[in-house]
Amino acid sequence: MSGVTLIQVPYHLGREGVVLGAGPAPLAAAIGGESIVVERAEPLHNEIYGTFDVMRQVQAAVRDTRAAGRFPLVLAGNCHSAVGTVAALDGDIGVVWFDAHADFHTPDSSTTGFLDGMPLALVTGEGWAELRRTVEGLRPIPQDHVVLACARDLEPTEEKRLAASAILRADSASLDGALDELADRTDTVYVHIDLDVLDPSEGKANDWAVAGGLTAAELEAALGAVVARFEVPAAAFTAYDPSADPEGRIPPIAARLAGLLTEQKVAS
């Protein structure tokens, strides 16, 4: 591993630089190092198609970064960047998903149609079937290869879907056990950190942040538990809205988390 490339994805629902799309740049500035910026390939005809356009460009950026022998650390506005990232990874991989929300809606379960409430379902092969086929390399991650960590703000239809799924749910107390169970199934994981997994007392990542989250120290320890067990070919920090964090408390936390990942990857 020759180094780390920060892949900035400055989009919110296909729109550049607004809301969560404003977050990647300050995260990249705090973390430092080599950085590239993903650009949509096509005009924004509509929100859904534009979002999938972004996913396709993320796939290409992650693929090319890995081909160059570098570790891709994706800094994205929306969590659906994960669709592009996992599509660029080979082999039998799992997912460790840190988030205040489950992101497990489909178009049929959502009452709002909010596309960024659907990425974990997309990653596991549900929803928007024809558009998923436009993302090169995308194949469903088995539900039992996913650990959803510290999600605490779920809608009733989403809770019902999760209860019927094989996804491993964990809080801070049960995370080690869930990771051990996942390690029996795969030795390689994509790590996804929606920064609203943090408790707002640590810094408000976005306007969807809710109480009951992890402290920065707890999240660092949790990430350390992941990298101690698994090979991590790619990771992402997502969903930072600088306007929700006027004191700028979130980027330094992201920089410390990046250090845990990048030290391990560069050493390997």
Side-chain angles (χ1 to χ4, degrees):
M1 182 63 60
S2 62
V4 176
T5 296
L6 306 179
I7 300 176
Q8 298 183 49
V9 190
Y11 294 92
H12 177 68
L13 302 176
R15 293 173 170 80
E16 186 174 3
V18 300
V19 195
L20 301 178
L27 294 179
I31 296 168
E34 180 177 306
S35 184
I36 63 174
V37 179
V38 167
E39 296 182 1
R40 275 196 333 262
E42 302 179 27
L44 183 62
H45 298 297
N46 64 70
E47 179 179 284
I48 294 169
Y49 191 78
T51 295
F52 275 85
D53 184 9
V54 171
M55 294 177 198
R56 292 189 289 271
Q57 305 320 309
V58 171
Q59 189 275 346
V62 172
R63 178 199 62 207
D64 292 349
T65 298
R66 285 178 47 76
R70 298 180 66 84
F71 176 69
L73 178 55
V74 178
L75 309 176
N78 292 137
C79 291
H80 50 61
S81 64
V83 175
T85 301
V86 300
L89 304 180
D90 300 321
D92 180 28
I93 66 169
V95 172
V96 181
W97 192 283
F98 292 94
D99 202 323
H101 311 91
D103 292 352
F104 198 55
H105 273 302
T106 69
D108 288 335
S109 72
S110 174
T111 60
T112 65
F114 183 48
L115 192 56
D116 209 37
M118 304 179 190
L120 190 54
L122 290 166
V123 164
T124 54
E126 294 188 88
W128 302 107
E130 291 300 320
L131 280 167
R132 278 191 286 112
R133 291 187 184 100
T134 71
V135 184
E136 182 180 350
L138 183 63
R139 65 198 188 284
I141 304 297
Q143 289 181 350
D144 65 359
H145 280 45
V146 177
V147 170
L148 173 62
C150 305
R152 57 197 183 274
D153 185 19
L154 280 67
E155 295 173 351
T157 53
E158 193 177 28
E159 185 72 66
K160 184 177 180 180
R161 279 178 39 75
L162 268 178
S165 79
I167 288 174
L168 303 169
R169 293 184 65 180
D171 57 17
S172 57
S174 61
L175 181 60
D176 280 339
L179 294 176
D180 287 342
E181 187 173 345
L182 181 59
D184 289 337
R185 298 166 184 162
T186 182
D187 58 6
T188 304
V189 300
Y190 159 69
V191 176
H192 184 93
I193 299 178
D194 181 322
L195 291 162
D196 68 16
V197 75
L198 291 161
D199 191 83
S201 64
E202 294 288 303
K204 189 176 179 184
N206 56 54
D207 285 338
W208 293 273
V210 292
L214 299 177
T215 65
E218 288 171 335
L219 182 53
E220 289 175 35
L223 182 57
V226 175
V227 299
R229 289 170 170 83
F230 300 97
E231 172 70 13
V232 180
F237 302 154
T238 69
Y240 176 55
D241 179 357
S243 71
D245 180 34
E247 296 177 343
R249 299 174 67 189
I250 295 295
I253 297 172
R256 292 197 299 273
L257 295 169
L260 289 174
L261 283 167
T262 59
E263 288 168 14
Q264 183 240 16
K265 296 308 299 180
V266 172
S268 66

